[in-house]
Amino acid sequence: MNGSEDRVLWKAENYYRPHSELRFAVVVLNESVDASDFQFVYQLWQKAHVRMCVDGGTNLYHSLIRNGPQVTKTSASDPPLPDLITGDFDSIEPELLKLYQDEGVTVIHTPNQDETDFTKGIKELGKYLLERNLMIEQVLVIAGVHSERFDHIMANLATLFKVNTLIPMPVILLCKGSLIWLLSPGNHRILVEKDVILNSKRSWCGLIPLGHPAVVTTSGLKWNLDNQELSFGSLVSTSNTYDLKCTSVDIHTSHPLIWTMGIETNPEIMSPPFSEETCVNGESELCSDRNHICQSVESESR
């Protein structure tokens, strides 16, 4: 959103614990995901309204989601097939490509080497949604636990700087215990669950200026910024954390800015109830349930 009085609202929980009425797409990249994250990835895949694999991400789907360690124990039927498989197909197993073509999955070859498979995949996803008149609210991208290729990490971040021109909904990277997305210039409010804020292993966050310095002002963090310039070679806000009295972070940025934060991916760990007194942007409010706070602070959400 543009304009100094407008604010984009982001509810972080929607990106790792989406509720049943939220329509979203899941995209699986060709990155490393270990079996310990099976349940988290599996549940996102099951809940998604549109499911997509990018090139070697199909290998991951086949081994971890379709034939994972708990599939036969947790479901009476096979997990849903991908709706779409894209890529230049240099990393997908050829027999799997044929298998899913034969099973009726839409397969689109994207051989252009001037763009990454991730970027090309988001383009094709946008076309797929438009052609079928499918409405979703967000795209969740399974980007792996870790990567042996630093250039792949940077390429994934570079794609985030392009997505606004490729698809009309937010694209969020999920990397094991991390969320990553791009904040456009302007005002943002990020709602953060108390089980993240109070979890010493998950309560980290960061604001990363890639490509251009950004002048940033924040509230709701332990170490806030006051009209300060973030840039490589000077100040970068990593290993930050939250003001324990607050459940949101407000950010104004002059230029695009990467936001990243820790999350709890264990589906068995539930959010503790909010205390009666919570804080939104530094202002104390009475609130008996978490939905009230999310619905009352803003009318515009992402």
Side-chain angles (χ1 to χ4, degrees):
M1 297 177 65
N2 296 319
S4 59
E5 297 302 316
D6 292 329
R7 176 186 287 142
V8 180
L9 181 67
W10 308 82
K11 187 180 179 186
E13 187 181 32
N14 284 347
Y15 312 136
Y16 62 97
R17 274 195 304 241
H19 58 79
S20 59
E21 296 179 358
L22 189 63
R23 299 183 62 86
F24 64 94
V26 162
V27 177
V28 179
L29 299 184
N30 182 28
E31 300 286 355
S32 173
V33 174
D34 62 40
S36 66
D37 281 319
F38 163 78
Q39 197 64 33
F40 174 65
V41 174
Y42 182 81
Q43 288 189 7
L44 286 179
W45 186 268
Q46 290 283 79
K47 291 179 179 179
H49 290 77
V50 178
R51 304 168 181 90
M52 176 178 175
C53 295
V54 175
D55 209 337
T58 312
N59 306 335
L60 174 63
Y61 160 79
H62 186 79
S63 62
L64 185 64
I65 300 176
R66 193 171 193 187
N67 298 292
Q70 300 178 51
V71 169
T72 57
K73 297 179 182 179
T74 58
S75 63
S77 59
D78 288 338
L81 289 169
D83 297 292
L84 185 64
I85 296 174
T86 68
D88 58 13
F89 302 145
D90 64 345
S91 56
I92 187 174
E93 296 291 339
E95 61 271 23
L96 293 184
L97 181 59
K98 183 178 186 308
L99 170 67
Y100 291 120
Q101 280 180 316
D102 291 345
E103 293 197 23
V105 174
T106 299
V107 174
I108 300 176
H109 186 215
T110 57
N112 180 8
Q113 295 301 301
D114 290 335
E115 293 180 319
T116 66
D117 280 339
F118 179 21
T119 298
K120 293 179 290 184
I122 293 296
K123 282 185 178 180
E124 294 301 330
L125 176 61
K127 295 176 185 177
Y128 181 90
L129 297 172
L130 186 62
E131 290 169 358
R132 290 158 178 79
N133 197 29
L134 297 174
M135 303 297 294
I136 62 170
E137 298 172 63
Q138 60 194 31
V139 179
L140 307 181
V141 180
I142 307 300
V145 176
H146 52 73
S147 176
E148 297 178 353
R149 296 281 300 272
F150 181 70
D151 59 334
H152 284 183
I153 296 171
M154 295 304 295
N156 288 344
L157 295 177
T159 296
L160 292 183
F161 281 76
K162 302 177 181 180
V163 294
N164 282 347
T165 65
L166 305 178
I167 201 165
M169 63 280 300
V171 175
I172 313 294
L173 293 180
L174 295 94
C175 301
K176 196 174 176 65
S178 304
L179 290 181
I180 306 164
W181 70 85
L182 186 70
L183 303 178
S184 59
N187 297 305
H188 301 264
R189 173 167 288 172
I190 301 168
L191 301 177
V192 184
E193 290 294 295
K194 273 295 187 182
D195 65 333
V196 171
I197 293 172
L198 300 177
N199 185 333
S200 60
K201 293 183 179 180
R202 304 298 187 192
S203 60
W204 59 269
C205 59
L207 299 121
I208 316 296
L210 284 181
H212 196 286
V215 177
V216 180
T217 297
T218 68
S219 63
L221 297 175
K222 183 174 182 180
W223 295 288
N224 280 307
L225 300 161
D226 184 7
N227 204 38
Q228 292 171 265
E229 182 178 275
L230 298 181
S231 66
F232 284 91
S234 59
L235 177 64
V236 176
S237 181
T238 59
S239 299
N240 210 326
T241 189
Y242 306 101
D243 183 336
L244 294 179
K245 298 177 183 178
C246 294
T247 57
S248 70
V249 176
D250 278 9
I251 300 169
H252 175 80
T253 179
S254 64
H255 289 81
L257 189 68
I258 294 288
W259 166 264
T260 183
M261 60 181 286
I263 57 171
E264 181 54 68
T265 59
N266 185 342
E268 296 180 359
I269 298 178
M270 303 300 292
S271 302
F274 276 84
S275 62
E276 288 189 357
E277 185 172 312
T278 61
C279 168
V280 180
N281 192 26
E283 298 175 0
S284 179
E285 291 189 355
L286 290 179
C287 180
S288 59
D289 66 76
R290 72 172 64 97
N291 291 325
H292 174 76
I293 194 173
C294 301
Q295 295 167 359
S296 64
V297 293
E298 293 287 341
S299 59
E300 176 71 24
S301 65
R302 299 195 74 173

